[in-house]
Amino acid sequence: MKLYHAPFSPFVRKVMVLLHEAGATGRVTLVPASGNPLDPGTMPVDRNPLGKIPALERPDGPTLYDSRVICRFLDDQLKAGLYPAAPRLWDTLVIEATGDGIADAAVLMRYEMHVRPEPSRSADWAKAQWGKIARALAALEARWMSHLSGPIDMGQIAVGCALGYLDLRHAERDWRGPHPALAGWFAGFSSRPSMQATLPPG
């Protein structure tokens, strides 16, 4: 299998953390890909028409995308157990969606302020994306800490990768101050070998 990969993507990192947790990094070949909404660059548009990564090319079926589809597929193939049985499954999926939503808003902020031409940039639009992030962080702090502190699953991995991306691209914003429980959880979770092995370079 080939995984179209960029080390700074929080969505690619999700897949890589799963592979590390499953002890299966050797099952995929990493194919570098880069681009943005204004220039697809080397994104695998012939395999994912949306021009996004991660994308997982399989020898026996169509290429899979996005990260949630890939993670469900790999979890099934590798018997990783990162999607628990119902009823806990539904909480895991909601938390994974929340983590992915944080990451998505953070990536859009990055594009707005660093990819869009300066005359077209909107500080109000970026502020609105941060509003989504702030609401999601507050929900995790208020509702989901007991789940995050339980057995590892894809919800935790998605949140961990999203918070890591906030530190990488939006370090000037203090997400920890208003969310001490979440900050404490992340301090422990980010020390996992799988998270350390997938830190973006530099």
Side-chain angles (χ1 to χ4, degrees):
M1 294 183 289
K2 295 179 181 179
L3 180 69
Y4 292 85
H5 172 281
F8 295 102
S9 165
F11 302 105
V12 170
R13 190 181 184 191
K14 268 180 63 185
V15 177
M16 294 304 301
V17 170
L18 183 156
L19 289 169
H20 278 276
E21 290 287 343
T25 55
R27 295 282 296 273
V28 301
T29 300
L30 302 183
V31 180
S34 63
N36 62 61
L38 299 181
D39 178 5
T42 60
M43 290 295 193
V45 293
D46 55 336
R47 293 164 178 83
N48 176 0
L50 301 177
K52 293 182 177 183
I53 53 173
L56 184 71
E57 184 179 339
R58 301 179 291 163
D60 57 350
T63 297
L64 299 179
Y65 55 88
D66 60 5
S67 67
R68 272 180 271 186
V69 175
I70 294 170
C71 287
R72 288 299 294 266
F73 172 78
L74 289 175
D75 184 76
D76 177 74
Q77 293 291 300
L78 302 172
K79 310 303 181 190
L82 294 170
Y83 289 96
R88 182 179 168 87
L89 172 64
W90 311 120
D91 290 347
T92 297
L93 293 176
V94 169
I95 295 169
E96 183 182 12
T98 303
D100 284 355
I102 292 169
D104 186 58
V107 169
L108 290 175
M109 287 177 65
R110 173 76 178 177
Y111 286 158
E112 181 70 16
M113 304 315 293
H114 295 276
V115 175
R116 188 187 293 272
E118 188 170 359
S120 303
R121 294 174 188 170
S122 170
D124 287 341
W125 194 89
K127 181 179 178 181
Q129 296 302 318
W130 186 259
K132 297 177 187 179
I133 294 169
R135 292 192 298 272
L137 294 173
L140 291 170
E141 180 86 2
R143 172 68 180 83
W144 297 112
M145 290 312 305
S146 61
H147 186 108
L148 290 174
S149 299
I152 185 170
D153 62 18
M154 280 309 303
Q156 295 176 27
I157 292 171
V159 170
C161 292
L163 297 179
Y165 189 79
L166 292 183
D167 284 347
L168 176 69
R169 295 303 196 196
H170 303 289
E172 74 283 0
R173 295 179 181 266
D174 176 26
W175 68 262
R176 288 174 173 80
H179 313 102
L182 188 60
W185 170 81
F186 181 63
F189 190 79
S190 61
S191 69
R192 293 183 71 88
S194 62
M195 291 290 286
Q196 289 294 305
T198 57
L199 281 168

